[in-house]
Amino acid sequence: MTEIKNVGILGSGKVGIVLAQLALAAGYNVRISGSGSVQKIALTIDTLVPGATASTNQSVVNNSDIIILAIPLSRYKNINSKLLKDKLVIDAMNYWWETDGIREEVLDPDTTSSEQVQKYFNKSTIVKTFNHMGYHNLQEDARESGDPNRKALFVAGDDHDAVDVVAHFVDTMGFDPVIHYQLSDGIMTEPGSELFGASLSKEALRNVIDNFDETEFGKRIKQSNN
């Protein structure tokens, strides 16, 4: 299994900051970039995530074993697809109308957001996780393995080895991974689903997934696919 020592985060918003805090607490080296100059975000990083390094996108990618996309979904194409070539990339993004605008201008309605991210970054390996839990829960609910109050995160991707690496990473970050080896299954965690915004135990999360087709969101997805 690929060893991860250096974590790179593209995006210094609320989710990016919380994930940087969790990664530092787990013992990883962390680099993080944001919109604008390095100097612009350095003070924020030094204050909120002391120990992380504010960097350019290029420096984040060059010095990281795994990359987390934690930017507004409507901006992922602002990143040159070649920048993430041969990288293992976690898609922690979601479509959100207040930030991203009209959905049809951001996403093709025929596939999930992560499938479209994978298509754009076609030389990278995309795994979806960290997207369905609110940043407050990510920050407050991380627990050591074996803790009875530990919560779970859905992990989806097409590359089995990559998914296993990310699942282990999720575990070290304080959450039980629930694995699906199909990137399109990330639809189960997108806004509108019963999982979106939920902070659940592994058993409870699996129960929602197992009954997805019977949920209102699942029925709508099934109808749209027919």
Side-chain angles (χ1 to χ4, degrees):
M1 181 177 292
T2 303
E3 183 178 9
I4 296 172
K5 293 182 178 179
N6 303 298
V7 175
I9 301 173
L10 302 182
S12 57
K14 293 171 181 175
V15 172
I17 292 294
V18 168
L19 292 177
Q21 292 169 340
L22 292 176
L24 278 175
Y28 296 106
N29 302 313
V30 178
R31 289 180 180 268
I32 185 168
S33 65
S35 57
S37 67
V38 174
Q39 291 76 16
K40 181 179 178 181
I41 67 165
L43 181 59
T44 300
I45 299 305
D46 289 343
T47 301
L48 298 179
V49 202
T53 302
S55 304
T56 63
N57 285 355
Q58 185 74 61
S59 180
V60 167
V61 173
N62 288 348
N63 294 283
S64 301
D65 305 311
I66 192 168
I67 307 296
I68 302 175
L69 287 175
I71 59 177
L73 182 63
S74 56
R75 299 179 193 170
Y76 76 87
K77 288 186 178 179
N78 292 350
I79 300 171
N80 189 317
S81 63
K82 294 179 181 178
L83 180 65
L84 300 183
K85 182 181 178 182
D86 298 328
K87 287 291 184 177
L88 174 54
V89 180
I90 291 175
D91 175 12
M93 303 180 294
N94 290 298
Y95 166 76
W96 197 246
W97 70 271
E98 291 180 340
T99 303
D100 298 316
I102 299 171
R103 183 182 177 90
E104 287 74 16
E105 294 180 359
V106 179
L107 294 171
D108 181 335
D110 295 330
T111 61
T112 66
S113 62
S114 287
E115 288 176 284
Q116 291 172 62
V117 171
Q118 176 66 86
K119 183 177 180 180
Y120 178 73
F121 294 109
N122 61 353
K123 301 298 183 181
S124 310
T125 303
I126 302 293
V127 177
K128 191 174 188 68
T129 192
F130 293 122
N131 68 297
H132 65 81
M133 191 181 291
Y135 71 91
H136 279 303
N137 290 121
L138 286 170
Q139 187 175 46
E140 297 167 4
D141 292 346
R143 298 284 190 278
E144 292 185 2
S145 181
D147 189 306
N149 294 316
R150 208 177 202 221
K151 305 301 183 182
L153 285 169
F154 192 73
V155 182
D158 293 330
D159 185 304
H160 284 215
D161 290 340
V163 171
D164 290 344
V165 169
V166 172
H168 177 70
F169 177 66
V170 165
D171 184 37
T172 66
M173 293 278 274
F175 301 92
D176 287 329
V178 173
I179 295 172
H180 271 228
Y181 293 113
Q182 191 164 330
L183 188 61
S184 61
D185 284 350
I187 190 66
M188 299 180 184
T189 66
E190 290 188 6
S193 73
E194 279 69 8
L195 281 183
F196 186 72
S199 180
L200 302 172
S201 67
K202 192 171 188 176
E203 182 180 359
L205 193 152
R206 279 178 169 166
N207 185 58
V208 173
I209 293 299
D210 288 344
N211 295 285
F212 176 75
D213 287 344
E214 302 307 315
T215 66
E216 290 303 316
F217 186 75
K219 290 175 182 177
R220 292 201 302 273
I221 295 300
K222 192 172 183 179
Q223 283 182 338
S224 68
N225 290 335
N226 290 336

